[in-house]
């Protein structure tokens, strides 16, 4: 049903010509007259052997999706596609410039280099009709185009879940078809070591497999107890690198250090500061098999057992990298550097002595020493390192490139220190985040719809023109904790990769979301041609919630991207669960925001051409005295976890159990939540409830204390109740209830949830600022 609705919606959109709908938008595009007719008789002409791989790619594409190939030659007078590369002409800074001219007589693609010619061919592919035919009509056009950023990347984690070589190649094709040029291959982590190292066979024999995997969302509902894993042989690695190079894509391997090392340590325990200690199963997670000795991790998160900075470890890593650099000709090697707890280093007499001997400030300084040693090793081999933004802590290695994932702060700091930067903030370009508020499969959380990806601008306002030059580009990351199969990979990747490709390729002044949406319709039809399992979230009902004026509850706003569709919506009162007997489909046409004045269920659906799309959305509103009331917060949440609508999300009557990345949750790192709620009038209050999230392996802790204050005027405050310390026992409801000794008449409620601050010794993330996550504030 949904697919037929989508196809129908495309036909009902404003009448446009799909003939020149290219993503990413080219720098210059001028429509020509007439069409070029491409058939099996058309000659594919190339100048020299350097263009043959582009010709081969084009013919393979035609064969796969249209059922024919073109004869290849060196000359033709008419009915031709000619590839020409000006390989001896100085290329612009961001190599890849091309021109494309389509006339009724033929097609000319001219690139500044072989790479530019390849990109021109990708644009030609987008000019082809999306319905298979033996004669393809191509609209006449003139293009002049080049990329905005030199680094346009996509990442794939093959450690949490493993994907075969054939699919890795297909993933690389997806990059090529969107004019991306860098594949970041995440090959080692706590849950599996995926690259064959001849000198250390146990890395894959032992480290390549785990004895089970948690079921469901972390911390899991159990363990499947199935041995899981796999790895790539060195011959397979070479095969992938060669395949990517033929598509002008650089493969950058990631070998994690000093953290995320559990799989390597399971294979070679002497790499740990405490070789005889058994692997600890994370709290609240189910473990399968033995817990004796070192184990490959079966759950997600961050783990204390990291590489010990001994000479033996540095020799091991040097040996590993010796083999890695032979396999990957890339300028960069990614060495991780993220989420490396310092607890084992603090407990280690060796590490403490090393800190003294090297005159280091602390364990962060020790990590900097570790990274700088590995950088020097790779620099001596003619390579450069990339590390996640944690490598800034304790001092940045001299020639390192920073990959900024915890927002843009790390990237900004690195650029101001004249270091090159790749932006990859989790807020916008983590493709493991949800695309829909109604996801029917488990994701890590978060909410990054295609429009949010498109809004991302890799050049921060905080940088001046000279500093901005250090921003090489950006990439999206696809972490696979909750991505077990290739269909889910595609579901998470598409169609957001189309938006990212335009962010990284097209000039800023050419970016226009409304125009992108128009071209995007044709791109979706092309995805249908490719038979990729793309997300249909773009066509779902979009909703938002705001406080109604005059303290009269909430307003529920609805919209859809499906042209010609009607939204039907109602707010049903009382018990409206699916099993209550009172649930029903909405029947009233939506004409504006719906008033929600009491607990109930909002239900909305779509009607198109008299047919219903039964993928309704529902919102369970649970009212209390604070719902829809005016709220202010003194310290804004982290820009990475700002919630869906800011402070209003704390009093919108909705709660979420989908994880801290859900848009209902607001997060503060190392800072307190202080919120003031204006109830609108003086009334009795006897209890306040704070909804919190606890996930210690991700550095998310319960608040140290929660204090509630009341006031009749918003100025003079009294304290009727306090909870300190907060009960550390895990509470499935994740609710901290603060009862008053007796009811208090008040208009204003102030809630202060105290962050635990620096995480204590022995806890995950020790020494780092803790995260505090809050969803709903309830007043009774």
């Amino acid at each position: 049903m949904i697919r037929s609705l989508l196809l129908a919606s495309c036909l009902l959109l404003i009448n446009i010509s799909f003939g020149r709908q290219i993503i990413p938008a080219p720098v210059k595009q001028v429509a020509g007259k007439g069409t070029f007719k491409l058939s099996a008789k058309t000659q594919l002409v190339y100048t020299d052997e350097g263009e043959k791989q582009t010709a081969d790619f084009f013919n393979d594409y035609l064969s796969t999706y249209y059922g024919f190939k073109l004869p290849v030659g060196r000359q033709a007078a008419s009915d031709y596609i000619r590839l020409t590369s000006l390989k001896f002409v100085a290329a612009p800074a961001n190599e890849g410039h091309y021109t494309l001219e389509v006339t009724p007589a033929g097609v000319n693609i001219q690139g500044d280099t072989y790479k530019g010619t390849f990109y021109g061919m990708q644009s030609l592919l987008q000019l082809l009709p999306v319905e298979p035919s033996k004669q393809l009509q191509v609209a006449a056009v003139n293009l002049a185009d080049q990329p905005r950023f030199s680094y346009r990347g996509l990442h794939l984690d093959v450690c949490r879940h493993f994907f075969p070589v054939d699919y890795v190649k297909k993933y690389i094709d997806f990059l090529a078809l969107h004019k991306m040029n860098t594949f970041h291959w995440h090959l080692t982590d706590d849950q599996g070591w995926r690259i064959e190292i001849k000198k250390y066979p146990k890395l894959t024999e032992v480290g390549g497999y785990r004895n089970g995997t948690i079921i469901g969302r972390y911390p899991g509902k159990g363990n499947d107890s199935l041995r899981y894993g796999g790895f790539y042989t060195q011959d397979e690695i070479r095969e992938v690198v060669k395949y990517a190079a033929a598509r002008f894509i650089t493969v950058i391997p990631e070998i994690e250090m000093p953290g995320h090392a559990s799989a390597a340590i399971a294979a070679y325990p002497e790499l740990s500061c405490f070789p005889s200690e058994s692997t600890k199963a994370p709290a609240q997670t189910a473990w399968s098999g033995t817990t004796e000795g070192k184990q490959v991790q079966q759950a997600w998160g961050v783990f204390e057992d990291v590489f010990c900075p001994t000479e033996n470890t540095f020799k091991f890593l040097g040996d590993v990298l010796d083999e890695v650099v032979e396999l990957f000709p890339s300028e960069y090697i990614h060495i991780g550097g993220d989420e490396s707890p310092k607890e084992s280093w603090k407990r280690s007499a060796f590490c403490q002595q090393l800190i003294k001997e090297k005159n280091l400030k602390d364990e962060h300084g020790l990590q900097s020493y570790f990274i700088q040693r590995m950088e020097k090793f790779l620099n001596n081999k003619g390579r450069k390192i990339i590390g996640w933004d944690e490598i800034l802590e304790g001092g940045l290695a001299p020639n390192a490139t920073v990959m900024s994932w915890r927002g843009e702060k790390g990237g900004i700091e690195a650029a101001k220190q004249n270091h090159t930067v790749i932006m990859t903030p989790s807020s916008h370009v983590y493709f493991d985040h949800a695309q829909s508020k109604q996801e029917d499969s488990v994701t890590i959380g978060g909410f990054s719809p295609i429009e949010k990806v498109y809004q991302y601008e890799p050049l921060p306002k905080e940088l001046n023109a000279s500093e901005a030059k250090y921003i090489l580009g950006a990439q999206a990351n696809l972490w696979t904790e909750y991505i077990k199969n290739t269909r889910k990979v595609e579901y998470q990747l598409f169609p957001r990769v189309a938006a990212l490709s335009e962010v990284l390729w097209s000039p800023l002044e050419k970016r226009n979301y409304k125009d992108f949406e128009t071209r995007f319709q044709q791109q979706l039809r092309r995805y249908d041609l490719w038979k990729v399992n793309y997300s249909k979230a773009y066509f779902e009902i979009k909703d938002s919630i705001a406080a109604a004026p005059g303290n009269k509850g909430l307003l529920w706003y609805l919209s859809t991207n499906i042209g010609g569709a009607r939204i039907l919506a109602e707010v049903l009162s009382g018990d409206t669960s699916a099993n209550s007997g009172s649930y029903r489909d909405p029947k009233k046409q939506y004409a504006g925001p719906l008033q929600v004045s009491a607990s109930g269920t909002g239900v909305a659906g779509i009607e198109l051409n008299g047919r219903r799309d039964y993928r309704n959305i529902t919102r369970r509103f649970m009212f209390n005295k604070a719902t829809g009331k005016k709220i202010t917060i003194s310290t804004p949440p982290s820009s990475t976890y700002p919630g869906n609508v800011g402070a209003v999300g704390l009093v919108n009557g909705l709660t979420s159990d989908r994880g801290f990345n859900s848009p209902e949750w607001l997060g503060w790192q190392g800072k307190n939540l202080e919120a003031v709620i204006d109830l609108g009038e003086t009334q009795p209050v006897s209890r306040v409830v704070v909804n919190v999230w606890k996930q210690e392996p991700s550095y998310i802790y319960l608040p140290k204390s929660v204090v509630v204050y009341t006031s009749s005027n918003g100025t003079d405050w009294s304290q009727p109740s306090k909870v300190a310390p907060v009960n550390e026992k895990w509470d499935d409801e994740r609710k901290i209830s603060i009862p008053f000794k007796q009811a208090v008449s008040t208009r204003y409620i102030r809630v202060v949830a105290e962050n635990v601050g620096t995480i204590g010794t022995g806890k995950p993330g020790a020494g780092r600022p803790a995260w505090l996550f809050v969803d709903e504030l309830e007043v009774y």
Side-chain angles (χ1 to χ4, degrees):
M1 174 66 76
I2 187 67
R3 182 174 291 271
S4 63
L5 283 175
L6 300 187
L7 292 174
S9 73
C10 290
L11 298 176
L12 288 170
L13 290 166
I14 58 174
N15 185 23
I16 59 172
S17 167
F18 283 137
R20 306 179 185 93
Q21 305 303 309
I22 296 174
I23 294 175
V27 174
K28 184 179 180 181
Q29 178 173 327
V30 179
K33 293 183 178 181
T35 59
F36 171 70
K37 296 178 177 60
L38 189 156
S39 70
K41 296 179 180 179
T42 301
Q43 289 284 319
L44 182 54
V45 180
Y46 61 88
T47 308
D48 63 34
E49 285 301 311
E51 287 143 0
K52 186 176 185 300
Q53 56 197 10
T54 296
D56 289 345
F57 189 101
F58 187 80
N59 256 337
D60 288 344
Y61 186 94
L62 288 180
S63 176
T64 300
Y65 299 112
Y66 300 97
F68 66 90
K69 288 188 175 185
L70 305 185
V72 177
R74 293 300 179 97
Q75 59 184 2
S78 63
D79 192 15
Y80 64 87
I81 297 172
R82 179 177 288 113
L83 309 177
T84 308
S85 302
L86 305 177
K87 46 199 169 297
F88 301 114
V89 175
N94 293 341
E95 183 183 20
H97 179 275
Y98 70 89
T99 59
L100 169 63
E101 179 188 33
V102 179
T103 70
V107 176
N108 289 288
I109 299 174
Q110 181 174 284
D112 61 353
T113 58
Y114 296 132
K115 184 183 296 185
T117 305
F118 183 80
Y119 294 146
M121 181 269 292
Q122 296 300 333
S123 290
L124 176 59
L125 290 179
Q126 291 202 32
L127 296 175
L128 302 181
V130 292
E131 297 80 16
S133 173
K134 296 302 181 184
Q135 187 178 76
L136 306 176
Q137 306 274 343
V138 183
V141 69
N142 280 279
L143 303 181
D145 199 12
Q146 68 183 52
R148 181 184 177 201
F149 290 102
S150 62
Y151 187 107
R152 305 179 303 281
L154 201 58
H155 154 290
L156 180 64
D157 166 19
V158 296
C159 300
R160 278 54 178 247
H161 285 99
F162 180 76
F163 302 98
V165 166
D166 285 348
Y167 193 77
V168 173
K169 290 180 178 179
K170 187 174 183 179
Y171 195 83
I172 287 169
D173 282 337
F174 292 151
L175 272 76
L177 290 163
H178 292 84
K179 298 190 177 84
M180 312 287 273
N181 68 351
T182 307
F183 173 45
H184 175 173
W185 205 357
H186 186 80
L187 288 166
T188 73
D189 215 300
D190 296 300
Q191 295 79 17
W193 183 285
R194 305 294 180 216
I195 176 172
E196 179 190 23
I197 301 298
K198 301 284 190 182
K199 191 166 186 176
Y200 299 99
K202 287 197 290 185
L203 284 173
T204 47
E205 292 171 0
V206 177
Y209 298 88
R210 57 182 182 259
N211 292 324
T213 305
I214 61 169
I215 298 170
R217 186 186 305 281
Y218 183 93
K221 300 176 181 178
N223 193 296
D224 65 13
S225 301
L226 300 174
R227 189 170 186 262
Y228 180 89
F231 65 93
Y232 305 102
T233 67
Q234 293 197 358
D235 284 343
E236 288 173 327
I237 296 279
R238 292 186 186 96
E239 184 182 337
V240 169
V241 170
K242 181 179 179 181
Y243 188 87
R247 287 145 182 79
F248 299 94
I249 290 171
T250 299
V251 182
I252 295 179
E254 181 178 0
I255 309 298
E256 278 272 20
M257 61 185 80
H260 288 290
S262 296
I265 290 172
Y268 296 96
E270 63 272 19
L271 299 173
S272 167
C273 288
F274 300 96
S276 61
E277 289 186 2
S278 295
T279 297
K280 295 179 181 178
Q284 298 96 41
T285 62
W287 192 266
S288 176
T290 181
T291 57
E292 294 183 5
K294 301 296 188 183
Q295 304 288 327
V296 179
Q297 295 290 350
Q298 301 175 24
W300 323 128
V302 180
F303 305 95
E304 290 181 10
D305 209 1
V306 302
F307 286 133
C308 197
T310 63
E311 290 305 312
N312 179 61
T313 296
F314 288 124
K315 181 182 184 304
F316 163 82
L317 290 172
D319 292 341
V320 167
L321 291 173
D322 278 341
E323 296 190 33
V324 168
V325 297
E326 289 300 315
L327 295 169
F328 296 91
S330 54
E331 177 184 7
Y332 293 101
I333 303 294
H334 201 304
I335 49 80
D338 63 313
E339 298 179 327
S340 183
K342 306 300 186 291
E343 180 58 27
S344 64
W345 288 359
K346 288 182 178 179
R347 291 195 295 127
S348 165
F350 169 82
C351 290
Q352 293 305 307
Q353 181 61 32
L354 186 61
I355 288 172
K356 292 179 181 178
E357 287 180 5
K358 300 297 181 182
N359 196 28
L360 306 174
K361 182 178 179 181
D362 53 19
E363 290 75 22
H364 293 290
L366 183 56
Q367 171 154 331
S368 180
Y369 164 78
F370 192 115
I371 297 298
Q372 289 188 38
R373 276 198 62 163
M374 299 316 302
E375 182 194 49
K376 184 177 180 181
F377 178 87
L378 284 167
N379 287 170
N380 288 338
K381 293 187 172 293
R383 306 302 181 91
K384 299 177 182 177
I385 69 165
I386 299 175
W388 302 106
D389 57 53
E390 284 95 331
I391 67 172
L392 284 156
E393 298 168 3
L396 192 54
N399 304 305
T401 294
V402 171
M403 191 166 271
S404 188
W405 72 279
R406 297 177 300 175
E408 294 184 325
K409 181 180 178 182
I412 292 168
E413 182 180 341
K416 287 181 177 292
Q417 295 181 31
N418 300 334
H419 280 260
T420 48
V421 173
I422 299 158
M423 288 296 193
T424 180
S426 59
S427 57
H428 287 77
V429 290
Y430 265 42
F431 282 3
D432 52 333
H433 287 187
Q435 300 181 73
S436 166
K437 294 181 181 178
Q438 289 81 240
E439 290 290 0
D440 54 6
S441 64
V442 177
T443 67
I444 202 166
F447 182 55
S448 298
I450 189 169
E451 53 266 36
K452 185 176 182 181
V453 175
Y454 193 86
Q455 290 164 1
Y456 181 60
E457 169 49 43
L459 297 184
K461 298 176 183 177
E462 293 85 347
L463 299 180
N464 60 38
S466 62
E467 293 165 340
K469 293 177 182 177
Y470 290 98
I471 307 298
L472 300 178
Q475 77 172 28
N477 295 332
L478 192 56
W479 302 101
T480 59
E481 287 92 336
Y482 303 107
I483 301 176
K484 298 180 180 180
N485 55 62
T486 58
R487 284 182 59 79
K488 184 72 176 285
V489 168
E490 292 171 10
Y491 179 83
Q492 295 297 126
L493 182 63
F494 294 101
R496 290 183 286 195
V497 66
L500 179 66
S501 72
E502 187 145 310
V503 167
L504 298 179
W505 180 281
S506 302
L508 183 59
E509 62 272 15
K510 293 283 289 188
R511 279 170 51 193
N512 179 293
Y513 186 65
K514 289 297 181 184
D515 178 65
F516 172 80
E517 283 187 293
T518 300
R519 289 176 284 118
F520 176 60
Q521 311 307 317
Q522 177 77 338
Q523 188 77 339
L524 290 179
R525 297 172 70 194
R526 187 171 296 108
Y527 292 161
D528 287 330
L529 177 69
W530 299 350
K531 293 182 170 55
V532 297
N533 183 43
Y534 62 88
S535 167
K536 312 304 187 297
Y538 174 80
F539 292 100
E540 291 178 345
I541 295 175
K542 306 293 192 298
D543 73 329
S544 61
I545 298 163
N551 287 323
K552 294 183 179 180
L554 302 168
L555 294 176
W556 190 30
Y557 291 85
L558 302 165
S559 64
T560 178
N561 289 318
I562 301 179
R566 289 200 315 156
I567 296 177
L568 304 177
E570 291 184 70
V571 178
L572 310 177
S573 60
D575 181 8
T576 54
S577 62
N579 298 322
S580 68
S582 60
Y583 177 88
R584 60 178 172 80
D585 289 328
K587 298 179 180 178
K588 297 180 181 179
Q589 182 168 342
Y590 176 79
L594 299 181
Q595 184 91 32
V596 186
S597 303
S599 295
T601 300
V603 186
I606 290 173
E607 184 178 271
L608 181 65
N609 294 338
R611 292 183 296 173
R612 295 290 299 275
D613 167 18
Y614 288 98
R615 298 210 321 165
N616 293 352
I617 68 167
T618 59
R619 293 288 178 263
R620 310 288 183 191
F621 295 102
M622 300 299 295
F623 266 61
N624 60 81
K625 289 178 179 288
T627 305
K629 299 303 192 295
K630 181 180 178 182
I631 181 172
T632 56
I633 49 180
S634 59
T635 302
S638 163
S639 60
T640 308
Y641 302 102
N644 196 19
V645 287
V648 176
L650 296 174
V651 291
N652 65 0
L654 300 176
T655 59
S656 172
D657 61 358
R658 287 181 173 268
F660 66 92
N661 274 308
S662 163
E664 286 299 319
W665 291 90
L666 285 72
W668 288 262
Q669 187 177 30
K671 297 178 181 178
N672 302 335
L673 161 66
E674 182 172 346
V676 175
I677 303 168
D678 180 357
L679 301 177
E681 61 184 10
T682 300
Q683 51 190 293
V685 172
S686 60
R687 183 167 62 100
V688 171
V689 175
V690 181
N691 289 263
V692 295
W693 191 265
K694 176 184 176 183
Q695 190 167 312
E696 293 186 357
S698 298
Y699 310 160
I700 301 169
Y701 287 80
L702 295 177
K704 185 176 181 180
S705 66
V706 179
V707 186
V708 176
Y709 302 88
T710 60
S711 173
S712 59
N713 57 15
T715 303
D716 302 311
W717 298 93
S718 59
Q719 180 188 320
S721 190
K722 176 179 181 179
V723 174
V726 170
N727 187 350
E728 284 292 329
K729 183 179 179 181
W730 179 262
D731 181 358
D732 286 338
E733 296 300 321
R734 294 181 291 276
K735 293 178 180 286
I736 299 174
S737 183
I738 306 101
F740 298 175
K741 292 181 180 179
Q742 60 184 25
V744 175
S745 291
T746 185
R747 173 174 173 173
Y748 298 92
I749 301 286
R750 189 167 92 217
V751 179
V752 180
E754 183 184 5
N755 192 303
V756 299
T758 301
I759 300 171
T761 300
K763 294 281 191 176
R768 295 172 178 265
W771 281 96
L772 167 66
F773 275 85
V774 180
D775 180 358
E776 197 76 358
L777 301 178
E778 305 169 24
V779 176
Y780 297 95

